[in-house]
Amino acid sequence: MAIAKRRAELGLTQADVAGRIDLTRASLANIETGRQKVLLHQIYKLANALEVQSITDLVPPSFQFIEDSEPVQFEGSDVNDRERAQLEHFVRTLGSR
């Protein structure tokens, strides 16, 4: 997964990154292998810890949106305006591939 690749590029251990984002090393290992889902706030913490410009840098190239899927809903979420803009850009950019 892109998270593990970026972590390795920075020379960080799973424990290093997990400590920066308030998760256990085991949880990070499960996220890296796709066995555990990642919450939105954790994605932003990961992007910061892994020094990437955008959360989209952590999305694997094989990720695809289903064309007939429902629109993404932001109501009731704790997403701020900057995060909302990034998410909308993410949906438009990757959704059109």
Side-chain angles (χ1 to χ4, degrees):
M1 185 173 211
I3 295 169
K5 180 181 178 199
R6 179 63 181 155
R7 180 180 56 73
E9 289 171 357
L10 294 173
L12 299 171
T13 66
Q14 287 178 335
D16 293 334
V17 175
R20 292 180 185 184
I21 61 172
D22 300 321
L23 288 177
T24 65
R25 189 216 50 83
S27 288
L28 182 61
N30 287 334
I31 289 168
E32 287 184 353
T33 58
R35 290 188 305 257
Q36 181 173 325
K37 292 183 180 183
V38 184
L39 300 174
L40 182 60
H41 73 280
Q42 292 169 329
I43 291 172
Y44 281 96
K45 285 183 176 184
L46 275 166
N48 186 47
L50 296 174
E51 302 170 15
V52 295
Q53 293 295 315
S54 170
I55 63 171
T56 60
D57 295 338
L58 300 177
V59 177
S62 61
F63 181 81
Q64 295 179 5
F65 285 96
I66 300 171
E67 289 184 29
D68 295 331
S69 65
E70 293 293 317
V72 176
Q73 299 292 319
F74 295 112
E75 287 90 26
S77 68
D78 291 333
V79 176
N80 67 37
D81 289 340
R82 183 181 65 80
E83 294 166 340
R84 182 182 312 266
Q86 280 189 317
L87 288 167
E88 288 172 356
H89 175 74
F90 172 76
V91 169
R92 280 193 304 275
T93 303
L94 293 180
S96 64
R97 286 187 181 174

